[in-house]
């Protein structure tokens, strides 16, 4: 290996290490263990809407979002799609690799062009034996994911469509929103979000979602800056709590 290619590889590893450090997965790991883990990770860029893995496909890697956004989806009766999460940089997915029947239960797709790190099951288990905190970190991440899923179930069973959409927009604003300097009451979503994608997130249909979003826009609860949504999360949160 030439000195130039060696330096390029070290730079690439440093970049992967930086992105790995943005996730709670490596919390508590020593610098040396983080470097070893980085060496085990491969990386790939996925185009917008490209499938990373499909439901039923073999689960043998844990994935980390380095750049971009990833949608996790399930398909219900009648081939109706439900988006269970939109992940951002630092988020982990593909946890089915630890199940006894190692097959993915969801589909993962790039919401826009995304750089993904992949860690094989064998390498993860090897590191977990040396650093048990790695497994504990994954359990904590999965527990937060479970809490979010439980809230989704509660929303589907207890909220009206208007409440569900308001609640979903509030949660998206908290995770993917950037406060506006010109209007501190509003946040701008950093992810593109169509009415169809919002319908997949809320378990609704696109025409009904479009009708509700038009109502929200007339009431000043949402707006647009270019193609990005502007959200008044405070008022939307009150809509989510209002009687259906």
């Amino acid at each position: 290996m030439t000195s130039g290619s060696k330096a390029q590889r070290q730079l690439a590893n440093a970049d992967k290490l930086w992105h790995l450090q943005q996730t709670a997965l490596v919390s508590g790991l020593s610098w040396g263990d983080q470097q070893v883990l980085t060496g085990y990770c491969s990386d790939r860029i996925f185009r917008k809407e490209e499938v990373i893995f499909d439901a039923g496909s073999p689960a043998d890697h844990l994935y980390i979002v380095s750049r971009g956004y990833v949608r996790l989806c399930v398909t219900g009766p009648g081939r109706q799609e439900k988006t269970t999460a939109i992940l951002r940089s630092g988020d982990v997915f593909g946890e089915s690799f630890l199940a006894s029947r190692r097959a993915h239960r969801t589909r993962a797709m790039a919401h826009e062009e995304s750089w993904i790190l992949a860690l094989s099951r064998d390498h993860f288990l090897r590191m977990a034996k040396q650093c048990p905190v790695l497994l504990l970190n994954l359990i904590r991440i999965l527990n937060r994911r479970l809490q979010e899923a439980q809230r989704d179930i509660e929303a589907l069973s207890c909220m009206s469509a208007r409440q569900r959409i308001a609640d979903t927009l509030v949660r998206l604003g908290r995770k993917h929103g950037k406060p506006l300097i010109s209007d501190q009451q509003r946040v701008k979503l950093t992810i593109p979000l169509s009415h169809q994608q919002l319908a997949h997130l809320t378990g609704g249909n696109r025409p009904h979602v479009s009708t509700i979003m038009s109502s929200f826009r007339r009431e000043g609860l949402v707006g647009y800056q270019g193609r990005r949504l502007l959200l008044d999360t405070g008022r939307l949160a009150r809509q989510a709590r209002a009687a259906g």
Side-chain angles (χ1 to χ4, degrees):
M1 181 183 294
T2 64
S3 59
S5 60
K6 183 178 180 180
Q8 190 175 38
R9 180 178 177 183
Q10 289 174 336
L11 181 61
N13 281 342
D15 199 18
K16 284 196 291 185
L17 176 59
W18 186 88
H19 284 287
L20 197 60
Q21 289 171 334
Q22 308 312 303
T23 172
L25 187 66
V26 301
S27 178
L29 266 65
S30 69
W31 175 259
D33 288 332
Q34 290 180 18
Q35 289 181 310
V36 172
L37 193 63
T38 299
Y40 287 152
C41 289
S42 59
D43 62 278
R44 179 182 163 188
I45 296 175
F46 290 85
R47 301 184 304 275
K48 181 180 179 180
E49 299 300 320
E50 185 176 358
V51 174
I52 301 166
F53 58 72
D54 218 335
S57 62
D60 47 19
H61 285 78
L62 184 67
Y63 299 90
I64 301 137
V65 184
S66 290
R67 297 172 185 162
Y69 301 91
V70 170
R71 289 200 316 275
L72 301 182
C73 311
V74 295
T75 303
R79 305 296 297 172
Q80 184 177 6
E81 184 177 288
K82 171 74 170 69
T83 298
T84 59
I86 299 179
L87 308 179
R88 63 181 177 184
S89 178
D91 283 338
V92 173
F93 62 105
E95 59 274 5
S96 294
F97 83 128
L98 286 178
S100 56
R101 179 182 176 272
R102 296 200 300 276
H104 292 295
R105 303 187 66 177
T106 61
R107 168 185 289 185
M109 301 177 65
H111 191 67
E112 57 183 31
E113 185 175 89
S114 302
W115 180 11
I116 307 298
L117 295 179
L119 177 64
S120 74
R121 182 177 190 271
D122 289 343
H123 283 145
F124 178 87
L125 292 177
R126 185 183 304 174
M127 284 296 299
K129 287 180 180 178
Q130 300 173 15
C131 312
V133 69
L134 186 65
L135 192 56
L136 181 60
N137 288 340
L138 182 59
I139 291 171
R140 288 169 175 158
I141 291 169
L142 298 184
N143 182 58
R144 286 196 295 270
R145 187 82 52 80
L146 178 61
Q147 290 175 342
E148 292 171 1
Q150 288 173 333
R151 179 162 182 178
D152 273 346
I153 293 171
E154 291 170 1
L156 284 170
S157 60
C158 302
M159 291 181 171
S160 67
R162 182 181 174 92
Q163 287 175 305
R164 290 200 308 272
I165 292 171
D167 182 68
T168 298
L169 291 174
V170 169
R171 285 189 281 161
L172 287 172
R174 287 171 180 163
K175 182 163 186 174
H176 302 293
K178 183 178 180 181
L180 290 179
I181 296 176
S182 58
D183 185 353
Q184 293 297 312
Q185 301 300 316
R186 294 191 171 208
V187 299
K188 176 182 177 181
L189 282 189
T190 58
I191 57 170
L193 187 71
S194 68
H195 287 183
Q196 183 63 69
Q197 290 165 344
L198 185 55
H200 289 165
L201 275 166
T202 58
N205 61 71
R206 189 202 56 76
H208 195 193
V209 168
S210 294
T211 299
I212 292 172
M213 287 296 287
S214 294
S215 174
F216 282 172
R217 191 172 187 178
R218 288 194 301 271
E219 297 168 31
L221 277 68
V222 305
Y224 287 89
Q225 190 176 84
R227 294 186 175 183
R228 294 292 189 266
L229 267 173
L230 303 179
L231 307 174
D232 187 329
T233 52
R235 292 178 63 200
L236 283 167
R238 289 192 288 274
Q239 286 291 320
R241 296 191 298 268

